[in-house]
Amino acid sequence: MKEQKKVFYQQSVDEVMNQMQADPKGLSDQQVAQRREQFGFNRLQAKRRTTIFEKFLAQFKDLMIIILIIAAIIAGIAGEHVDAAIILAVVILNAVFGVFQESKAENAIDSLKEMSAPMATVLRNGRQTTVKSEEIVPGDMVLLEAGDVVPADIRLTEANTLKIEEAALTGESVPVNKTTATINDSDLPLGDRKNLGFMNSNVTSGRGVGVVIGTGMNTEVGKIAHMLNTTEEATTPLQENLNKLGKVLTILILVIAVVVFAVGMWRGQETLINMLLTAISLAVAAIPEGLPAIVTVTLAIGTQQMARHRALIRKLQAVETLGSTDIICSDKTGTLTQNKMTVEKVFQNGELLDSAKTQLSLDDRLAQIMVLNNDTKYLQEGLGGDPTETALVSFYLNQQLPVQQFVNGHQRLAEIPFDSERKLMTTYNQMPDGIMMTMKGAPDQLLQRVTQVLDNGKVRPITDADRKTIQTTNHDLATQALRVLGFAYRMVDEVPADLTSAAQEHDMILTGLIGMIDPERPEVAQAVAEAKAAGIKSVMITGDHQDTAQAIANRLGIIGRGDSNDKVINGAQLDDMTDEQFEKSVGDIAVYARVAPEHKVRIVNAWQKRGKVVAMTGDGVNDAPALKAADIGVGMGITGTEVSKEASDMVLADDNFATIVTAVKAGRKVFANIQKSLQYLLSANLGEVLTLFVMTMMGWEILAPVQILWINLVTDTFPAIALGVEPAEPGIMKRQPRGRSSNFLSGGIMSNILYQGFFEGAITLAVYAFAILNPVHASETLIHADALTMAYATLGLIQLFHAFNSKTIHQSIFRVGLFKNKFFNWALLGSALLLILTIAVPGFNQMFHVTNLAASQWLVVVIGGFMIVVISEVVKYIQRHFLHQQ
């Protein structure tokens, strides 16, 4: 069988069956095997996954990691094997942790895939059988009914009131009425190809049969999956920040190392090897070895916290990017709303009431029509069928009424099916007092067929005033974005032979109207308000009608709160704008209605050209390009297609907008904590560099590389990691988004690093000088050894004291809680013990080139270390009260 290139919707059923070499009774097992050999399994191809080894190697692409490896190699060549081993250990541990976290994220998405793997019913060998959807081949005959997922692209051969929801491909939330008739038009969009069914779409009501015309990557879903696999991903703000920081540090390190090496050689006091080791010591002191690990750990902890809030992070960097979000573009259905049509208003006996205040029993005619003129399926897992019809049934089930027993006890004898022309559905049901003809549908159509009205249990002729009241009520409810249905009936003696609308749908008795809506999630309005307070603009994008979108946006506070930038436009208006016009006006638009998923990419690009960081939600296949183009692609774990999940940086397990705002808050905390860790690390390293630089320039003995490394690994890394898990500071969601142009050194961080690093170095050098001038030994060698040991101990302790300063950037440490973070407390205690261990425990002296200190010397060291707290508190006070930094 050759690959088909004809347009299937333009061909008759017989033509398609011939082309696909299909049989109405189904393929034989032999034919299935042959076609699977030819076409493969019915599944989408994802990008080739990187192996564990490839992931491991990828961890070494970081610039600072490369510098560290070079420093380790030089140290090893120079004979400093302990230094080299410690550097390499840090590098390898960081790589292992990165691989572990990436694999964990992939496994989480795999579990989501397994949850959504559908089964399909097909005809094989003349018999009906259930198979995995991936086992379907071209030419298979697929049977569909309400609740099924269409397993492949099919040409329908039978359709009995069949409706398929195709939002995943078209963005249109209303199910499409399907037909088997040949369509002669050409170049139709997917939504208008009404005789085709598409892979991953959902059957909402009716029954159908279709012949498979495309599987796997040859489906409409597969075409987009292919495009997705070939799209390059943009770098995140975190990656850009770290890359820039790495380049700056590299230049500084090289300049300092070269200057020190040149000065040392010019003075002629040291040998070439010794000066090379000194330059290595400076490089080691300047590089924050723990930064890659700290960033990874902080992000990983952020992913765990978000997972507890139902947000699965697929890429570590996405955690931090969330914190810089300026714009959240969200779909309406299922994310801002509950994706569950609900009866909200009831109009009966000339009165409009809230559904919560309405109690109707199954003896009421309106209630009877609502549940009998209804194709809802009663399944073990719940109700199945058209969302509008299931809402009508749920209204009574929620009142604990025996709906299913009532429906089973009043048999449907005949029906005039719904069609999109007349917008009505009629049934004939057996009742105790005869046969009741029921009708439901669009109020304007129904009113044309009504001559009487049921008023408080009595039937009377309908008046012009009644008609005006009904029309006004219908209009008012529609402007509130409610979907309105009218209900009517009349009793007949028998089921007529001529079951046509023209012959039978007349002289009906109106019983009432029902107003339904997909209600907003109760927690979303507060989340929208919280996002607004945080300077984040919430934008609604939906395929629904403009009135519906505007009403929901009003109810949620997305528009209508006195803002000028709350325009509502539709897809047609968006198409009429040039890119230049749209980029100018995008900031004023809060709601996009009747928008196709392909418009989402344009919306993302327009905001990004303004320098904004954009989060975009999506669940459909056509949403995938926009999800990948956005800074944060947010997929839907429940309703989302596999392609959209694969394109996302984050997957919402509960499809809830409020979860995005929670994740943004966690992202802001992560960024703030990385800033705290960075301030702590770089100021500490600057203190080390200044100490070594001055010692070299003065011709003093300098700290050994192993001492610098031990300080960096013990008193730098553990507290810095602990700072990464600090709780969020109060008011973090009241700050404005920092935007794309900000970096880790903005917001006063750079000036803090400079003054804190300067004082750390100055205090260390002061303790060294004090030890020389106030010795406890007479030997010149011991005096200098003690001075170096005291400088080493001071440099270590001063950093531990400084860790407390770094718990907040500008606030006093006495206002944020010194000991709230238990992990921080244990990290500092452990680091202090490991530092003291190298001095106080026999056996370590030679390895670390230190001496035992007297109690008076330890007192000087502790006082010197604590001075950084005093200095920082004074500077923070000046920043808050005179420089107005918060």
Side-chain angles (χ1 to χ4, degrees), residues 636-668:
M636 302 294 123
I638 299 173
T639 60
T641 59
E642 295 312 318
V643 176
S644 65
K645 291 174 192 172
E646 286 292 339
S648 302
D649 303 291
M650 177 173 79
V651 176
L652 302 181
D654 57 3
D655 291 11
N656 191 343
F657 177 88
T659 303
I660 305 174
V661 178
T662 301
V664 168
K665 183 176 182 180
R668 287 191 171 192

Side-chain angles (χ1 to χ4, degrees), residues 709-719 800 827 830-832 834-835:
L709 260 177
W710 192 253
I711 289 172
N712 277 14
L713 293 178
V714 174
T715 63
D716 276 13
T717 306
F718 294 147
L800 296 183
S831 296
L834 287 171
L835 178 68

Side-chain angles (χ1 to χ4, degrees), residues 18 167 232 310 317 330 350 507 573 630 713 768 796:
N18 288 334
E232 291 298 321
R310 315 283 294 165
Q317 292 83 0
S330 176
D507 297 323
Q573 292 170 307
L713 293 178
Y768 180 88

Side-chain angles (χ1 to χ4, degrees), residues 481-626:
L482 272 69
R483 184 175 185 186
V484 187
L485 287 179
F487 299 85
Y489 80 102
R490 67 182 165 91
M491 302 304 293
V492 297
D493 296 328
E494 60 181 5
V495 176
D498 184 10
L499 281 172
T500 63
S501 173
Q504 306 304 329
E505 292 179 340
H506 57 81
D507 297 323
M508 304 299 290
I509 304 167
L510 180 74
T511 59
L513 305 177
I514 294 291
M516 291 177 292
I517 197 169
D518 177 10
E520 66 275 16
R521 289 177 180 264
E523 65 275 18
V524 169
Q526 182 180 348
V528 169
E530 187 176 5
K532 194 170 185 177
I536 300 169
K537 183 179 177 70
S538 300
V539 176
M540 178 195 290
I541 303 175
T542 179
D544 277 351
H545 192 275
Q546 187 163 333
D547 289 342
T548 305
Q550 186 164 348
I552 292 292
N554 264 310
R555 289 163 68 147
L556 291 173
I558 292 175
I559 61 174
R561 294 196 177 179
D563 295 335
S564 58
N565 56 346
D566 58 1
K567 290 182 182 176
V568 181
I569 70 167
N570 58 41
Q573 292 170 307
L574 180 57
D575 285 333
D576 289 339
M577 293 185 189
T578 64
D579 287 342
E580 291 76 16
Q581 290 172 329
F582 182 46
E583 284 167 27
K584 288 180 181 178
S585 59
V586 68
D588 298 326
I589 303 169
V591 177
Y592 299 84
R594 284 293 190 219
V595 173
E598 52 265 28
H599 288 121
K600 286 188 174 183
V601 175
R602 193 177 177 200
I603 296 168
V604 169
N605 290 339
W607 277 115
Q608 287 176 332
K609 285 179 181 177
R610 285 188 162 209
K612 302 298 185 182
V613 177
V614 184
M616 169 68 75
T617 70
D619 57 4
V621 176
N622 270 6
D623 292 330

Side-chain angles (χ1 to χ4, degrees), residues 348 360-373 392 395-396 401 406 511:
Q348 189 183 33
L360 296 177
S361 74
L362 291 175
D363 294 327
D364 192 290
R365 284 296 188 202
L366 177 58
Q368 292 174 353
I369 301 167
M370 287 169 68
V371 299
L372 293 175
N373 192 314
L392 299 177
F395 179 61
Y396 295 102
L401 297 177
F406 182 83
T511 59

Side-chain angles (χ1 to χ4, degrees), residues 386-404:
D386 186 276
T388 300
E389 294 192 322
T390 58
L392 299 177
V393 172
S394 295
F395 179 61
Y396 295 102
L397 288 177
N398 291 339
Q399 298 177 40
Q400 308 300 313
L401 297 177
V403 177
Q404 189 172 0

Side-chain angles (χ1 to χ4, degrees), residues 167-188:
L169 274 169
T170 65
E172 178 57 64
S173 59
V174 178
V176 179
N177 292 295
K178 291 296 183 178
T179 177
T180 60
T182 303
I183 302 173
N184 295 319
D185 296 337
S186 58
D187 297 325
L188 286 179

